[in-house]
Amino acid sequence: MKAMIFAAGLGTRLRPLTDHCPKALVKVGGVAMLERVITHLRDCGFNRMIVNVHHYADMIIDFISNNDFGVEIAVSDERDCLLDTGGAIVKARGWLDGDEPFLVHNADILTDLDLGRMMAHHKELGASATLLTSHRDSSRYLLFDADSRLCGWTNVSTGECLPAGIDAGSYSRRAFGGIHIISPRMLKRLADYGGDRPFPIVPFYVGACDVLPIYSYEPDCEYMWYDIGKPATLAAAESYISSRESNIK
């Protein structure tokens, strides 16, 4: 199975940690986040991965080259232009294309979720995309109908909604978890939408959800999930890892 890891971000919320290091190599419990993501994907059955790079790209490339994780890892080089989430997938389209869906994973998401099970769920649905979501507090939410199909997006801080005019109160609000699965048939539509420019993928999902089946995935089991992109959440993840490793010992 294939996966793409987003590791190109500037990590501005983690400064000064990211002043001299890419966010993907920030350590949690003494282990670089990128390593934690790669090994978890591997353990879930993903054996081919591509990592996009921009901020301190050479450090990430050297890290990948100097470690054998037992899987194939390619690099999508965005040093010339940071392409955002949608643009990054379009740039890696040649590597991602094929007969099988692929998983996309932010490098700053720490989780023990069974991602192989999420892939199986995506295939069973026959979805164009499947997005990991939860009911955690956020200022921005995806909107889903009773069948967990994506219908829109809202920013509760500003009142903004997409598509314009949607009644956000009529839908279930769920926060996106930074992990999603995309079927290859979406790649041409994504490229037609964004071209070779930088663009985020969530507005694309919202704009396409009326014609393409895009679903929420909410696991029916407890799992660990941290976004380590902010100092407070990084500290929480550190505390969790330390506690878990202490219990193992």
Side-chain angles (χ1 to χ4, degrees):
M1 293 190 292
K2 291 181 182 179
M4 181 169 192
I5 302 171
F6 287 150
L10 302 177
T12 53
R13 295 179 298 168
L14 279 179
R15 288 174 176 164
L17 288 177
T18 51
D19 284 343
H20 306 287
C21 170
K23 180 170 61 173
L25 296 186
V26 168
K27 293 184 178 180
V28 179
V31 179
M33 268 302 300
L34 181 58
E35 179 173 347
R36 289 192 179 276
V37 173
I38 290 171
T39 55
H40 181 58
L41 284 167
R42 179 198 64 200
D43 294 346
C44 290
F46 294 84
N47 57 1
R48 300 185 64 201
M49 305 175 199
I50 188 165
V51 180
N52 74 328
V53 296
H54 174 81
H55 184 56
Y56 288 109
D58 290 343
M59 293 179 66
I60 296 178
I61 292 170
D62 289 345
F63 180 81
I64 293 170
S65 300
N66 294 331
N67 290 277
D68 182 6
F69 296 108
V71 295
E72 176 190 341
I73 303 178
V75 170
S76 181
D77 193 337
E78 296 181 19
R79 278 176 284 197
D80 290 342
C81 180
L82 184 59
L83 292 170
D84 210 327
T85 50
I89 294 171
V90 171
K91 182 175 176 64
R93 178 184 176 186
W95 192 92
L96 295 168
D97 208 356
D99 298 326
E100 292 293 319
F102 56 90
L103 182 140
V104 180
H105 196 304
N106 290 3
D108 57 6
I109 298 300
L110 176 67
T111 187
D112 61 359
L113 179 65
D114 185 342
L115 300 175
R117 186 178 177 188
M118 181 176 174
M119 177 64 81
H121 179 79
H122 171 86
K123 291 180 178 179
E124 289 169 6
L125 282 175
S128 292
T130 302
L131 286 59
L132 176 67
T133 65
S134 71
H135 290 276
R136 74 179 189 279
D137 290 338
S138 177
S139 61
R140 294 172 294 180
Y141 292 98
L142 295 169
L143 304 174
F144 294 90
D145 66 15
D147 295 320
S148 294
R149 181 165 174 166
L150 181 65
C151 296
W153 170 92
T154 185
N155 184 326
V156 295
S157 298
T158 64
E160 181 184 4
C161 291
L162 293 175
I166 190 172
D167 178 10
S170 299
Y171 298 91
S172 174
R173 301 188 313 188
R174 301 175 196 172
F176 179 40
I179 299 172
H180 39 138
I181 296 172
I182 302 173
S183 292
R185 63 179 178 270
M186 289 272 278
L187 287 170
K188 183 180 185 304
R189 184 181 289 266
L190 190 64
D192 290 344
Y193 170 89
D196 58 2
R197 63 180 175 88
F199 68 97
I201 196 167
V202 169
F204 164 78
Y205 281 149
V206 173
C209 66
D210 60 334
V211 293
L212 295 177
I214 300 173
Y215 289 95
S216 163
Y217 178 68
E218 289 198 48
D220 57 2
C221 60
E222 291 187 5
Y223 64 99
M224 174 266 290
W225 183 96
Y226 289 97
D227 173 356
I228 64 97
K230 298 182 291 187
T233 50
L234 174 59
E238 284 273 9
S239 177
Y240 174 86
I241 294 294
S242 297
S243 175
R244 185 180 68 175
E245 292 180 350
S246 296
N247 291 335
I248 292 174
K249 292 176 182 178

